[in-house]
Amino acid sequence: MVDAQAVRAWIESKGIKGCGLCGSAELQVSKDLYALVCINRTTGGPDLKRGSRVARIRCGHCGHVMLFHARQMGLE
Ligand SMILES: [Zn+2]
């Protein structure tokens, strides 16, 4: 489970004040991490051995989704 307060503190420490598109402060932090998976160049299918865990933050106003690398944020 993702610590929403820790995520908010991290993004604020990077100078992110709101949505990157509309500027709204209605940012909703997902409780789960997500997988950003590479596509295998040969098969065209997902390569589950390569990818990144990401935290998902969705703007409650315009729906823009922002992804942040979980390890860089200290979440894994
Ligand atoms: Zn927005």
Side-chain angles (χ1 to χ4, degrees):
M1 181 174 238
V2 172
D3 180 346
Q5 282 190 324
V7 169
R8 290 180 193 283
W10 187 88
I11 62 174
E12 287 177 19
S13 77
K14 302 302 178 190
I16 300 166
K17 305 281 187 213
C19 174
L21 288 183
C22 74
S24 171
E26 290 182 52
L27 299 182
Q28 300 169 352
V29 179
S30 174
K31 294 178 181 175
D32 298 301
L33 291 179
Y34 286 78
L36 190 63
V37 178
C38 291
I39 298 298
N40 183 296
R41 293 178 186 172
T42 304
T43 67
D47 182 348
L48 300 180
K49 294 179 182 172
R50 297 177 55 221
S52 301
R53 292 180 182 177
V54 293
R56 188 188 76 180
I57 301 172
R58 183 173 62 85
C59 174
H61 179 69
C62 77
H64 178 59
V65 173
M66 295 171 272
L67 302 176
F68 294 89
H69 196 266
R71 187 180 329 138
Q72 186 167 343
M73 297 177 81
L75 297 176
E76 63 171 25

